[in-house]
Each structure stands twice: as structure tokens, then as C-alpha cells.
Amino acid sequence: MGNFFEPSLIFESIPKLLSYLHITLEILVLSVGIGLFLGILVAMPKLYHIPILKEIVTVYISFIRGTPILIQLFLVFYGLPVVVGLFGVDITRMDPFYFVIITYTLSNTANFAELFRGAITSVDYGQTEAAYSVGLSPWQNFYRIVFPQAFRVAFPNIANASISSLKDTSLAFSIGVMDMMGRGETLITATTHAIEIYISLSIIYYVIVLIFEHGFKWIERYLNRYLVKDEYSM
């Protein structure tokens, strides 16, 4: 069936789609927040050359960075119940939302681990030697000297990865999660006006990305407030 293009449907659909924005943001915030924490931990075996763990982490990061997020989503959704089922645990009825969180957390963890590894190695080792010379422990040196500088270096890439993850959340509907994209698909089925719904979705995602970009730029300027101000005053 052919349908005439109806511009009014674009604006009518936006409020309906926005009512599911919180699901999209929950996926993003949880997966990025947990991924940041786990990313630091996963980076440690490669930074400190811990036997066996280093090899496991290397394979994990390589696999995640070398496969599409959609395939990872299906592997977790269909594969995780099989794996835990071997131990007598049944999660086949678990809400698909949690499979999405697990998938995106695993993906973000791998990406953030590499970002942190590169940022940490960029910190001058002379500062670590100076920290030890004044009696700081390795842990104190890490969280007081190394990590603050490494986080500042990694932040622009963390911001880009987070925005990319926001756009990737649009795939969550493929396993039945009713986020904005999932709601959009139901509207397409009900109205048979796909192009108008997709335009509405593109507008929403674009505006959200712009808001995130401006927010991240403000945070970056704050993190670099003690550096040369002229560089960040523009």
C-alpha cells in the first residue's frame, strides 16, 4: 500500500516517542557507568602484565571490538541462558532489558579498558617515582596522581564512546525492549507511515546527541581548568 507523506505525523509522533526516552537513557547510564568502573579493572592486567589474566583480557577486548554490537546482543540474549542453565539457573524469563544492559556493559567495558590503558601509559612515569619517593603507596599513587591525569586525557574519547553507545541503544528493540526505537516500530505498524516515524526518531536522537556534546564539552573544560585557559576559553 502506498501512503502519502504526512509531515504532521512527524510532530504528532515525537511526544509518543519521548515517553520512552527514559528507557533509552537508563540503558545508556547503567551500561556506561558500570562499564567505566569495570573498564579500569579490565585494563589492569594489561598494564601490569599479569600472567593468564592479560591473555584473557586481550582476547575479550579483541572479540568485543571486532564484532558488531547486534551480534553481541543476540549472543547474550540466546547464549547466556544456555550457559547459566548448565549450573541449574533458569533465566529464560528474565526481562530482555537486563540482557541489553549486560551486552552494552560488556561492550563499553572493553572500549573503556583500552581508553584507560592508553591514557594511563601516557602519564609520565617520573611522577610515579616522585610519589614513591615521598612515601605514597602504589594505590595512593594511582588514585591521587596517575588516575586524575589519565581520566582527563581519556575523557574526550570516553565522551565519544558514550555518544556512540547512545546511538547503539537503538538496537535494543531487536530483542523486545520497548525503548524509543521499539515504540517507533509499533507506531510504524499502526500507522504504516515509516518515513515520518524515522524522521521523528532521527530528530530526537540528534537533539539528544547535541545536548550530550555540549555537556561533555563543559565537563572537559572543567577537567582542564588548571591548564592553559586560552585553549579552552573559545
Side-chain angles (χ1 to χ4, degrees):
M1 294 178 63
N3 292 305
F4 291 108
F5 181 72
E6 296 184 17
S8 61
L9 189 59
I10 297 173
F11 302 100
E12 292 174 7
S13 301
I14 288 178
K16 298 176 182 178
L17 296 170
L18 283 175
S19 65
Y20 289 82
L21 173 60
H22 67 284
I23 302 296
T24 297
L25 294 181
E26 284 177 17
I27 295 171
L28 178 68
V29 171
L30 288 173
S31 62
V32 169
I34 301 173
L36 282 170
F37 174 73
L38 294 179
I40 299 171
L41 298 180
V42 171
M44 293 298 106
K46 296 187 70 173
L47 283 169
Y48 295 101
H49 305 287
I50 301 175
I52 301 178
L53 282 180
K54 178 184 177 182
E55 285 70 27
I56 294 174
V57 165
T58 299
V59 173
Y60 160 64
I61 293 175
S62 178
F63 176 80
I64 293 295
R65 291 164 66 90
T67 55
I69 187 69
L70 183 59
I71 292 177
Q72 296 168 24
L73 188 58
F74 287 146
L75 283 175
V76 171
F77 184 64
Y78 293 110
L80 188 58
V82 174
V83 173
V84 300
L86 298 176
F87 301 94
V89 180
D90 183 12
I91 60 171
T92 55
R93 297 182 181 179
M94 189 168 71
D95 192 319
F97 176 82
Y98 297 107
F99 290 104
V100 171
I101 296 299
I102 293 171
T103 303
Y104 285 89
T105 296
L106 290 173
S107 178
N108 286 325
T109 295
N111 291 325
F112 292 150
E114 282 298 276
L115 294 180
F116 281 126
R117 185 182 65 83
I120 290 171
T121 55
S122 71
V123 178
D124 185 6
Y125 187 71
Q127 297 187 49
T128 294
E129 294 177 329
Y132 291 159
S133 69
V134 297
L136 294 183
S137 67
W139 170 243
Q140 289 175 320
N141 167 63
F142 179 77
Y143 82 83
R144 295 178 62 178
I145 306 297
V146 176
F147 182 73
Q149 298 180 73
F151 186 78
R152 191 186 71 240
V153 171
F155 184 79
N157 289 325
I158 290 174
N160 290 334
S162 298
I163 290 175
S164 178
S165 184
L166 167 65
K167 292 181 285 187
D168 285 343
T169 60
S170 62
L171 297 173
F173 84 96
S174 61
I175 63 169
V177 174
M178 187 57 69
D179 63 343
M180 283 198 304
M181 193 67 189
R183 178 55 174 156
E185 292 297 319
T186 62
L187 288 176
I188 290 172
T189 301
T191 64
T192 67
H193 284 266
I195 185 64
E196 292 90 340
I197 304 302
Y198 287 133
I199 291 175
S200 300
L201 284 166
S202 66
I203 291 172
I204 295 173
Y205 276 106
Y206 181 60
V207 170
I208 295 172
V209 168
L210 288 180
I211 293 172
F212 271 66
E213 285 180 343
H214 282 82
F216 285 139
K217 286 180 180 178
W218 183 88
I219 296 173
E220 184 178 356
R221 286 195 296 268
Y222 178 79
L223 292 174
N224 292 283
R225 63 193 182 281
Y226 298 123
L227 299 181
V228 180
K229 293 186 177 180
D230 292 341
E231 182 180 353
Y232 296 95
S233 61
M234 297 178 62

